[in-house]
């Protein structure tokens, strides 16, 4: 009989790469239940059975852009008063414990978002016959997510510090996206973490031919803390043979619109509409270079190893990035591209302008050669080993 695994997501699991790929890796080996936040306000809750995975949905809450000023101020008030339970026990999450209780006895709960760890912890300790093991996936060092924002640190930073201090000691295992973040959790909270890179599925692609105009792609979120305006400055410094395409979105009111407005005079910068998550890799295959421009303005940005890095490789692109230590180490060991000397538009534009078609072609071929090794084909045995080790514990 298959072991029973529940996955808790404070997001729509079908639209976030890491939880979606976790489900894909586990669904053939375990009986998987996914409790996920709905992204459809017309169908805010419900159930579906897809490819043998049973999905249970709880309603979405309002985003910061959707909340009124009064609602945002109330949340800040709860943080400042350290009334954190009101941020955990939100109305849209009321059904989570009910859903967990209705499932057959679970062997393991994987928590993809630390905001839901309290629900898993309380449920596990209340379980009479079998206490499920708890495995948390720590994608960021959450207490420092927006460390340059003093108000955020005083409010939400304190909230995430509380979650880590109060609930992380209850987990049976933890994993993170890279070595630096794993070490940070061990150093600050005494929680050992396994490293599981955010590797995408394998796509059977070939590197695309390089045209006279060399296509550079950036895809992902755009925000002030990521210094996304640096894309505009990079575009102004590129040779005429390059065109920079931006396929992004923003969850901050007005930021994306402002960015597009400022880019109106740049002929070599084009904005593209987002494509579905499963289409990102084949869509990006038509380009030549993928760029990563996270600044070194915070711990999480400096030591990031984002999904897009491995997706660029899977798209068979040359990867050019700021010198983030985790990214630089893999680029240098695999030969898939180049890193700038500095975290600056001038430095990365200089690297791009120094590339010729022969070197770009060689880097694209290097990505092709490591694409299978840097896919979930490598992650699957690792996560299975982590889970089996936990389940074997008394």
């Amino acid at each position: 009989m298959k072991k029973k695994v529940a996955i808790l997501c404070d997001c729509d699991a079908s639209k976030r790469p890491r939880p979606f790929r976790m489900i894909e890796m586990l669904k053939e080996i375990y009986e998987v239940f996914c409790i996920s936040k709905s992204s459809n306000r017309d169908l805010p809750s419900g159930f579906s059975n897809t490819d043998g995975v049973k999905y249970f949905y709880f309603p979405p809450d309002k985003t910061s852009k959707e909340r009124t000023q009064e609602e945002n101020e109330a949340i800040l008030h709860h943080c400042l008063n350290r009334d954190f339970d009101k941020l955990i026990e939100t109305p849209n999450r009321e059904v989570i414990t009910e859903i967990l209780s209705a499932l057959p006895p679970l062997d393991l709960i994987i928590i993809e978002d630390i905001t839901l760890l309290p629900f898993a912890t309380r449920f596990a300790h209340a379980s009479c016959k079998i206490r499920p093991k708890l495995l948390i996936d720590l994608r960021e060092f959450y207490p420092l997510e927006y460390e340059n924002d003093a108000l955020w640190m005083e409010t939400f930073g304190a909230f995430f510090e509380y979650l880590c201090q109060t609930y992380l000691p209850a987990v049976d295992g933890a994993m993170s996206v890279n070595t630096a973040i794993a070490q940070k959790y061990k150093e600050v909270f005494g929680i050992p973490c396994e490293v599981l890179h955010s590797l995408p599925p394998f796509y059977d692609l070939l590197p695309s031919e390089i045209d006279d105009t060399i296509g550079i792609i950036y895809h992902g979120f755009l925000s002030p803390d990521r210094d996304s305006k640096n894309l505009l400055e990079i575009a102004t410094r590129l040779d005429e043979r390059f065109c920079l395409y931006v396929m992004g979105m923003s969850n901050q009111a007005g930021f994306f619109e402002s960015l597009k407005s400022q880019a109106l005079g740049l002929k070599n910068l084009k904005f593209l509409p987002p494509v579905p998550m499963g289409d990102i890799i084949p869509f990006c295959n038509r380009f030549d270079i993928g760029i990563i421009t996270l600044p070194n303005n915070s711990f999480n940005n400096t030591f990031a190893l984002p999904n897009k890095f491995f997706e660029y490789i899977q798209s068979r692109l040359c990867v050019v990035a700021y010198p983030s230590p985790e990214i630089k180490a893999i680029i240098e060991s695999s030969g898939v591209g180049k890193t700038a000397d500095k975290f600056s538009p001038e430095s990365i534009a200089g690297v791009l302008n120094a590339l010729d078609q022969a070197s770009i072609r060689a880097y694209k071929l290097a990505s092709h050669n490591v694409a299978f090794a840097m896919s979930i084909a490598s992650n699957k045995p690792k996560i299975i080993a982590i889970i089996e080790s936990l389940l074997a514990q008394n």
Side-chain angles (χ1 to χ4, degrees), residues 234-236 238-239 242-245 266-270:
I234 291 168
T236 65
L238 290 175
D239 293 347
F242 294 101
C243 185
L244 173 57
Y245 296 86
L266 297 174
K267 295 181 179 179
N268 66 339
L269 177 61
K270 301 182 186 301

Side-chain angles (χ1 to χ4, degrees), residues 195-268:
V195 174
L196 191 76
H197 290 155
S198 295
L199 304 181
F202 175 76
Y203 284 75
D204 190 10
L205 301 170
L206 292 172
S208 61
E209 294 296 324
I210 304 173
D211 294 329
D212 291 337
T213 299
I214 298 169
I216 303 171
I217 183 71
Y218 171 93
H219 78 73
F221 276 104
L222 302 163
S223 65
D225 72 286
R226 297 182 182 212
D227 197 18
S228 297
K229 288 184 180 179
N230 61 20
L231 295 168
L232 306 183
E233 186 173 348
I234 291 168
T236 65
R237 295 174 177 275
L238 290 175
D239 293 347
E240 292 182 355
R241 58 201 174 100
F242 294 101
C243 185
L244 173 57
Y245 296 86
V246 177
M247 187 169 68
M249 60 187 69
S250 179
N251 57 9
Q252 301 194 27
F255 183 79
F256 183 59
E257 293 76 13
S258 173
L259 202 65
K260 289 181 71 174
S261 176
Q262 293 176 63
L264 285 176
L266 297 174
K267 295 181 179 179
N268 66 339

Side-chain angles (χ1 to χ4, degrees), residues 359-374:
S359 58
I360 295 169
R361 191 174 293 109
Y363 291 132
K364 293 175 75 169
L365 182 59
S367 286
H368 180 66
N369 291 336
V370 300
F372 185 78
M374 293 193 186

Side-chain angles (χ1 to χ4, degrees), residues 90-379:
T90 54
N92 68 307
R93 296 174 182 157
E94 289 176 353
V95 298
I96 293 177
T97 301
E98 181 181 332
I99 294 170
L100 284 168
S101 300
L103 298 178
L106 297 170
D107 298 286
L108 174 71
I109 301 175
I110 299 176
I111 303 96
E112 286 290 344
D113 294 279
I114 196 169
T115 48
L116 300 187
L117 180 57
F119 295 90
T121 302
R122 295 167 192 168
F123 174 78
H125 286 296
S127 299
C128 299
K129 295 181 180 180
I130 302 175
R131 187 186 83 81
K133 301 292 185 183
L134 302 181
L135 173 63
I136 189 164
D137 193 5
L138 299 163
R139 299 190 302 274
E140 308 269 352
F141 187 73
Y142 292 105
L144 296 179
E145 193 166 3
Y146 296 100
E147 64 180 281
N148 293 316
D149 184 332
L151 179 60
W152 188 94
M153 287 296 293
E154 189 178 357
T155 54
F156 291 102
F159 171 56
F160 284 110
E161 183 86 15
Y162 166 80
L163 288 175
C164 290
Q165 289 182 342
T166 306
Y167 293 101
L168 281 182
V171 303
D172 300 287
M175 54 191 170
S176 190
V177 296
N178 65 38
T179 302
I181 294 176
Q183 289 176 343
K184 189 73 169 178
Y185 275 105
K186 175 67 174 175
E187 172 191 326
V188 177
F189 298 109
I191 303 296
C193 287
E194 299 282 350
V195 174
L196 191 76
H197 290 155
S198 295
L199 304 181
F202 175 76
Y203 284 75
D204 190 10
L205 301 170
L206 292 172
S208 61
E209 294 296 324
I210 304 173
D211 294 329
D212 291 337
T213 299
I214 298 169
I216 303 171
I217 183 71
Y218 171 93
H219 78 73
F221 276 104
L222 302 163
S223 65
D225 72 286
R226 297 182 182 212
D227 197 18
S228 297
K229 288 184 180 179
N230 61 20
L231 295 168
L232 306 183
E233 186 173 348
I234 291 168
T236 65
R237 295 174 177 275
L238 290 175
D239 293 347
E240 292 182 355
R241 58 201 174 100
F242 294 101
C243 185
L244 173 57
Y245 296 86
V246 177
M247 187 169 68
M249 60 187 69
S250 179
N251 57 9
Q252 301 194 27
F255 183 79
F256 183 59
E257 293 76 13
S258 173
L259 202 65
K260 289 181 71 174
S261 176
Q262 293 176 63
L264 285 176
L266 297 174
K267 295 181 179 179
N268 66 339
L269 177 61
K270 301 182 186 301
F271 288 88
L272 302 173
V275 300
M277 185 174 67
D279 295 341
I280 289 173
I281 288 169
F283 178 84
C284 290
N285 176 250
R286 70 194 67 191
F287 302 104
D288 303 302
I289 300 169
I291 62 168
I292 301 173
T293 59
L294 283 169
N296 59 339
N297 60 355
S298 67
F299 174 83
N300 283 303
N301 281 347
T302 300
F303 293 99
L305 190 58
N307 292 302
K308 68 169 64 67
F309 174 65
F310 297 106
E311 289 165 353
Y312 288 157
I313 291 172
Q314 201 61 227
S315 294
R316 309 322 198 254
L317 304 183
C318 162
V319 184
V320 176
Y322 281 176
S324 306
E326 296 276 341
I327 295 173
K328 183 176 181 179
I330 296 178
I331 285 179
E332 291 181 347
S333 64
S334 61
V336 298
K338 297 274 288 183
T339 55
D341 292 331
K342 299 177 181 179
F343 289 84
S344 71
E346 300 94 326
S347 184
I348 199 168
V351 171
L352 290 164
N353 288 331
L355 294 172
D356 57 22
Q357 289 203 7
S359 58
I360 295 169
R361 191 174 293 109
Y363 291 132
K364 293 175 75 169
L365 182 59
S367 286
H368 180 66
N369 291 336
V370 300
F372 185 78
M374 293 193 186
S375 74
I376 58 173
S378 295
N379 263 359

